[in-house]
C-alpha cells in the first residue's frame, strides 16, 4: 500500500508556484525547535565549470523559494524549473575567474518571513549569461537513467536502466528535498549510477519538518527504496551502500530532522543549495537560534575532519524576519574557527561567486544575487557537486542504458 504522501509526487509543480508565497512566510526554522546535535562532516573542494545546455529553457517547477510564478522563502521549487547552463565551482573546484563578482547585490528591506525564502519584493530582471532562465532550464534528457518511479513510500525515484549496483546488491543513494525535477536535470548530467529520490511536500520548510519528525518515516523510506532496487535488479538483498541528503530552499526542514535521528548517522554526504535558514533569538542583534542548526554544525565538523562530505551554497538574498542562508553559512564557518575568503568567479546560470571556504571535505560557496532566478540558479550547482566530489568519493558502480 502506498504511503499517503506518495500522491504528492504528481504535483511536483506546486512547490514552484508556492515559492513566491514561501518567500513571504517565515520557515519552520524561525520557530523554536531544539534537538540533539549531530556530528558534522568534512569540507568539500571546489568544482570545475561545465558548459551551458544548448536546448531552450523549459518551464519546470523550481525550488519553492524561487519559483517564477510565486515567491515564498520556505518552499523548494521542483528541479524541472531549475536547470543550470554551466556548472563550475559549485561543487568546489576552482575555475579560472573571468569576472569579478563584486560586492553582494543590494538586499531588499527585511520583512517578517520564514527562513529559506527570498525577498517578496519584485526585483528588476537582469540579463542572464546564455539567456537561460534559471527557474526554467532546458532538459538534457535522462542519460543512463529510467523515468521517475513512484516505488518509494514518499516521493519518486530514478535509477540506471542497468547497472549501478554491486555484486552483493549495494547501491548509492541521494535523497533530495524540494525541487526534485529541476535537480534531476542537473543530476543526470554527471551522476554515474547513484539512485536519486526526489521529494516535494509543498510550501514552507514546516511541511518537511513535520513529515520527517518521526524517525520511522525516514526508515520506512529507506526500506521502500531498497525493495524497489531489489525488484528492478533481481538482487534480493539490495541495500543502501552510501547515503547522501540534498535540499534546495525549504527542503532543509526534512534534513534537519533526519540528522537528529539514529538513521542520520548513516549520512555520508550533505548538499545544501541556498537552503539553510534559522530564526532569530534576537533580531536586532542578528543572533541566531543556534539550536535549530546544531545538526548542521555537527555535520560540518565531521566533514572538516574528513569523516563526511558537506557542500553549502548561499545567495545574497535577505529574507524578512529570519536569518539568510549567508548568515547561517557564515555562522557555521565561525564555529569551525574559520573565515571565508574573497572570490571572483563567474559560475553556473549567471551566478557570480564572491566568497568561499574550504576545510577538509567541508565547502561553502557564496554568491551575489537577490532575486528568484538567483535562488533557482543554485540548483544548477548539483552537476558539479556530483562530478567533482561525490562521484570520486563514492566510486558508484557505473550505470548504463
Amino acid at each position: 500500500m502506498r504511503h499517503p504522501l506518495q500522491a504528492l509526487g504528481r504535483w511536483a509543480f506546486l512547490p514552484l508556484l508556492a515559492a513566491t508565497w514561501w518567500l513571504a512566510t517565515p520557515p519552520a526554522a524561525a520557530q523554536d525547535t531544539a534537538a540533539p546535535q549531530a556530528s558534522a562532516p568534512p569540507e568539500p573542494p571546489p568544482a570545475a565549470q561545465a558548459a551551458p545546455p544548448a536546448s531552450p529553457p523549459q518551464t519546470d517547477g523550481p525550488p519553492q523559494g524561487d519559483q517564477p510564478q510565486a515567491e515564498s522563502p520556505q518552499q523548494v521549487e521542483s528541479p524541472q524549473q531549475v536547470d543550470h547552463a554551466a556548472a563550475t565551482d559549485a561543487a568546489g573546484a576552482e575555475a579560472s575567474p573571468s569576472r569579478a563578482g563584486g560586492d553582494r547585490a543590494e538586499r531588499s528591506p527585511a520583512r517578517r518571513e520564514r527562513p529559506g525564502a527570498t525577498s517578496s519584493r519584485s526585483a528588476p530582471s537582469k540579463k542572464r549569461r546564455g539567456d537561460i532562465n534559471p527557474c526554467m532550464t532546458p532538459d538534457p534528457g535522462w542519460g543512463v537513467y529510467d523515468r521517475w518511479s513512484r516505488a518509494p513510500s514518499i516521493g519518486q525515484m530514478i535509477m540506471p536502466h542497468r547497472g549501478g549496483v554491486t555484486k552483493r546488491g549495494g547501491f548509492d543513494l541521494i535523497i533530495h528535498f524540494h525541487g526534485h525535477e529541476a535537480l534531476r536535470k542537473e543530476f543526470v548530467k554527471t551522476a554515474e549510477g547513484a539512485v536519486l529520490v526526489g521529494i516535494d511536500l509543498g510550501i514552507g520548510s514546516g511541511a518537511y519538518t513535520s513529515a520527517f519528525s518521526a524517525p520511522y518515516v525516514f526508515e520506512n523510506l529507506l526500506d521502500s527504496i531498497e525493495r524497489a532496487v531489489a525488484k528492478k535488479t533481481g538482487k534480493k538483498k539490495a541495500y543502501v551502500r552510501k547515503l547522501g541528503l540534498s535540499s534546495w530552499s525549504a527542503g532543509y526542514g526534512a534534513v534537519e530532522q533526519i540528522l537528529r535521528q539514529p538513521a542520520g548517522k548513516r549520512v555520508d554526504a550533505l548538499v545544501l543549495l541556498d537552503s539553510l535558514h534559522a530564526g532569530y533569538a534576537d533580531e536586532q542583534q542578528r543572533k541566531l537560534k543556534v539550536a535549530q542548526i546544531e545538526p548542521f554544525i555537527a555535520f560540518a565538523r565531521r566533514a572538516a575532519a574528513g569523516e563526511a562530505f558537506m557542500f553549502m551554497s548561499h545567495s545574497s538574498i535577505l529574507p524578512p524576519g529570519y536569518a539568510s542562508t549567508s548568515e547561517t553559512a557564515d555562522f557555521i564557518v565561525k564555529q569551525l574557527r574559520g573565515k571565508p575568503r574573497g572570490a571572483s568567479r563567474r559560475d553556473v546560470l549567471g551566478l557570480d561567486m564572491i566568497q568561499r571556504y574550504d576545510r577538509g571535505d567541508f565547502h561553502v560557496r557564496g554568491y551575489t544575487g537577490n532575486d528568484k532566478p538567483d535562488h533557482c540558479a543554485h540548483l544548477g550547482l548539483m552537476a558539479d557537486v556530483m562530478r567533482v566530489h561525490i562521484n570520486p568519493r563514492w566510486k558508484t558502480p557505473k550505470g548504463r542504458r
Side-chain angles (χ1 to χ4, degrees):
M1 182 176 180
R2 291 175 179 266
H3 191 288
L5 290 174
Q6 209 171 9
L8 290 171
R10 303 176 182 177
W11 308 99
F13 66 92
L14 290 179
L16 298 176
L17 297 175
T20 297
W21 177 90
W22 169 72
L23 294 175
T25 337
Q31 306 172 1
D32 289 311
T33 52
Q37 184 169 336
S39 54
E43 311 167 351
Q49 297 179 346
S55 53
Q58 299 179 348
T59 306
D60 296 330
Q64 287 180 348
D66 284 299
Q67 299 179 223
Q69 300 175 342
E71 290 180 336
S72 42
Q74 291 182 335
Q75 296 177 350
V76 178
E77 304 166 348
S78 68
Q80 295 174 339
Q81 292 180 335
V82 187
D83 206 3
H84 77 340
T88 61
D89 188 54
E94 187 104 38
S96 57
S98 55
R99 169 183 168 186
D103 296 330
R104 295 187 182 181
E106 296 182 0
R107 298 183 173 185
S108 303
R111 288 187 182 181
R112 295 283 177 182
E113 295 181 358
R114 296 184 179 181
T118 59
S119 172
S120 57
R121 294 192 177 185
S122 59
S125 59
K126 63 183 179 184
K127 185 175 180 60
R128 301 279 168 176
R129 291 192 286 273
D131 293 327
I132 294 176
N133 183 336
C135 296
M136 296 181 288
T137 57
D139 193 331
W142 296 78
V144 301
Y145 289 85
D146 285 337
R147 301 301 190 268
W148 290 110
S149 161
R150 299 184 184 279
S153 59
I154 304 176
Q156 305 177 60
M157 66 179 278
I158 59 172
M159 63 179 295
H161 184 64
R162 292 185 296 169
V165 183
T166 66
K167 292 181 179 180
R168 293 185 178 182
F171 64 94
D172 298 337
L173 169 67
I174 288 185
I175 301 178
H176 177 80
F177 300 94
H178 211 64
H180 75 283
E181 176 56 18
L183 186 104
R184 185 274 301 174
K185 293 192 289 185
E186 302 305 320
F187 179 84
V188 299
K189 292 177 181 178
T190 56
E192 298 180 342
V195 173
L196 172 67
V197 169
I199 298 175
D200 280 278
L201 299 180
I203 300 170
S205 62
Y208 293 90
T209 299
S210 299
F212 286 88
S213 59
Y216 75 85
V217 175
F218 185 63
E219 294 169 355
N220 289 346
L221 173 60
L222 294 179
D223 289 342
S224 68
I225 296 169
E226 290 178 337
R227 290 194 299 271
V229 173
K231 181 178 181 180
K232 179 176 177 58
T233 62
K235 296 184 180 294
K236 297 181 180 180
K237 295 184 179 180
Y239 64 94
V240 176
R241 190 183 71 151
K242 295 290 185 181
L243 174 62
L245 299 181
S246 171
S247 71
W248 174 74
S249 195
Y252 71 91
V255 177
E256 176 193 349
Q257 295 301 307
I258 294 169
L259 292 180
R260 295 181 187 278
Q261 300 165 3
K265 296 180 180 179
R266 299 180 57 183
V267 179
D268 178 71
L270 178 59
V271 180
L272 302 172
L273 304 172
D274 202 20
S275 180
L276 182 59
H277 293 268
Y280 285 127
D282 186 327
E283 185 174 353
Q284 295 301 318
Q285 297 185 25
R286 317 292 288 187
K287 290 185 177 180
L288 308 186
K289 292 182 178 178
V290 181
Q292 296 175 350
I293 59 174
E294 284 179 345
F296 300 98
I297 296 172
F299 199 90
R301 290 194 176 112
R302 287 184 53 209
E307 299 170 3
F309 167 81
M310 182 173 178
F311 175 86
M312 294 181 69
S313 70
H314 68 79
S315 64
S316 292
I317 294 170
L318 182 63
Y322 57 91
S324 65
T325 54
S326 60
E327 289 177 283
T328 56
D330 289 346
F331 185 85
I332 291 178
V333 169
K334 288 181 180 178
Q335 298 310 297
L336 301 181
R337 297 183 180 180
K339 183 178 181 180
R341 63 183 176 87
S344 177
R345 168 151 117 209
R346 304 178 72 179
D347 217 326
V348 58
L349 293 178
L351 289 175
D352 288 306
M353 187 187 301
I354 53 176
Q355 69 176 28
R356 59 186 296 162
Y357 177 77
D358 301 282
R359 180 178 171 188
D361 286 324
F362 176 52
H363 309 277
V364 178
R365 298 291 178 267
Y367 298 89
T368 59
N370 64 351
D371 61 11
K372 291 177 292 184
D374 290 321
H375 183 48
C376 292
H378 284 251
L379 283 165
L381 300 174
M382 191 63 178
D384 247 22
V385 170
M386 290 299 301
R387 180 181 64 80
V388 176
H389 300 291
I390 296 181
N391 288 346
R393 179 181 181 84
W394 286 359
K395 294 181 175 57
T396 302
K398 301 287 185 181
R400 58 189 185 283
R401 291 297 303 173

